[in-house]
Amino acid sequence: MTDYLKLAAEVGEITRLAGAAIMKIYETEDFGVEMKSDDSPLTKADKAGNDVIVAGLEALEFQAPIISEEGKGVAYEVRSQYKQFWLVDPLDGTKEFIKRNGEFTVNIALVEAGKPILGAVYVPATGELYYSAKGEGAWKVSDGEPERIAAASFTMQDTNLRVVASRSHLNEGTQAFMDKLDQPEIVSRGSSLKIIELATGSAHLYPRLAPTMEWDTGAAHAILLEAGGKMVDDGTGKELRYNKENLLNPFFIAYGNVREELLAC
């Protein structure tokens, strides 16, 4: 029987190795920036991180197929048969990487039956590692031993809720969400750190009413779930699902430990 917490720690070490490869490029002058078909940037660091992760996952005793942002696409007819698979974003926050603001992450999730059951998120610029396993809690490692993390408990009627959003680019849907809250405070973070802010209790809400892909959210979603939070489809109110035919996420709202009976605001 698989020890998923031990596996999560092993996967965390893989993200550290990928982070080291990414930082070598971060410290150079040439990021090798290319533009993908959707006009999002791709750098040497994305490719280097992906190579390290794929090699690391393939060397584990535990084996599962890999779906990576930087890997070749797997036909839905094939991946729909996967019982478990690794969902990888070797460098989330490429724009932050290019800006050199440090707010980029390495992300690996293990998905089972549409749900992320294990996640590891590493922040190369700070050395912080977050990981989780289903039923085993969410953990942070910065210096020394892992420390358990937990989402903040709140109700939607509370004053000064901390909302992860852009200070300068609030779209209409996000502004409408904010308008329902009592004097919310905006928290601005890049990459999957937006979700990690909720898992650590540093923020309460993250309305993402704009496009994301499954690999952007899977690892941090797993951590948030184990920290006591959730991420729900803005249209249905149901938890986000993974390995859909279209790997684009629906718009969603991520919550810390919100009290269910007072969820609607």
Side-chain angles (χ1 to χ4, degrees):
M1 188 172 179
T2 302
D3 181 340
Y4 284 109
L5 187 59
K6 178 175 178 287
L7 179 61
E10 292 172 347
V11 172
E13 291 309 306
I14 294 172
T15 65
R16 285 188 193 275
L17 293 173
I22 287 167
M23 289 305 288
K24 284 182 181 178
I25 296 166
Y26 190 65
E27 291 159 3
T28 69
E29 295 302 318
D30 180 17
F31 290 169
V33 179
E34 304 171 14
M35 300 309 291
K36 295 190 283 191
S37 59
D38 62 356
D39 287 333
S40 62
L42 176 70
T43 71
K44 291 178 183 178
D46 296 82
K47 299 172 187 176
N50 191 68
D51 289 347
V52 170
I53 290 169
V54 170
L57 292 176
E58 289 179 345
L60 290 173
E61 182 178 348
F62 177 93
Q63 288 294 294
I66 301 169
I67 296 176
S68 170
E69 178 180 13
E70 308 311 335
K72 294 180 179 178
V74 180
Y76 181 65
E77 292 74 17
V78 175
R79 59 182 172 81
S80 64
Q81 303 302 309
Y82 292 168
K83 292 181 178 178
Q84 294 179 318
F85 68 92
W86 295 112
L87 183 61
V88 173
D89 189 349
L91 177 53
D92 184 36
T94 302
K95 290 178 182 178
E96 281 75 20
F97 177 87
I98 294 169
K99 291 176 186 175
R100 295 182 185 271
N101 68 12
E103 294 188 357
F104 51 90
T105 55
V106 181
N107 303 266
I108 305 176
L110 181 64
V111 176
E112 178 182 86
K115 182 177 180 178
I117 64 166
L118 177 155
V121 173
Y122 181 61
V123 191
T126 65
E128 294 172 340
L129 170 65
Y130 302 87
Y131 64 84
S132 70
K134 184 179 178 181
E136 299 289 349
W139 304 83
K140 175 184 178 180
V141 185
S142 50
D143 295 308
E145 293 298 311
E147 297 178 3
R148 197 154 188 161
I149 58 174
S153 178
F154 67 99
T155 76
M156 295 297 287
Q157 286 73 35
D158 290 349
T159 302
N160 303 132
L161 290 175
R162 295 185 296 279
V163 182
V164 182
S166 169
R167 290 187 176 89
S168 55
H169 300 290
L170 284 182
N171 63 25
E172 187 175 331
T174 306
Q175 186 63 62
F177 180 88
M178 299 277 286
D179 288 345
K180 297 176 183 178
L181 303 174
D182 185 3
Q183 303 177 59
E185 300 176 6
I186 291 180
V187 177
S188 183
R189 294 302 298 270
S191 68
S192 60
L193 289 171
K194 297 181 181 74
I195 302 168
I196 294 298
E197 286 288 295
L198 274 62
T200 62
S202 298
H204 301 95
L205 297 158
Y206 170 35
R208 181 65 186 202
L209 306 177
T212 56
M213 300 300 293
E214 290 189 6
W215 47 71
D216 293 323
T217 59
H221 187 180
I223 293 166
L224 179 59
L225 285 171
E226 283 299 308
K230 62 182 181 177
M231 289 172 53
V232 302
D233 184 323
D234 184 50
T236 66
K238 296 181 178 179
E239 200 77 34
L240 286 196
R241 303 289 294 176
Y242 292 80
N243 203 19
K244 305 181 304 297
E245 184 169 1
N246 184 345
L247 294 171
L248 183 71
N249 285 325
F251 290 0
F252 65 84
I253 309 293
Y255 296 87
N257 187 10
V258 64
R259 297 183 207 168
E260 287 289 342
E261 67 274 12
L262 295 173
L263 182 60
C265 67

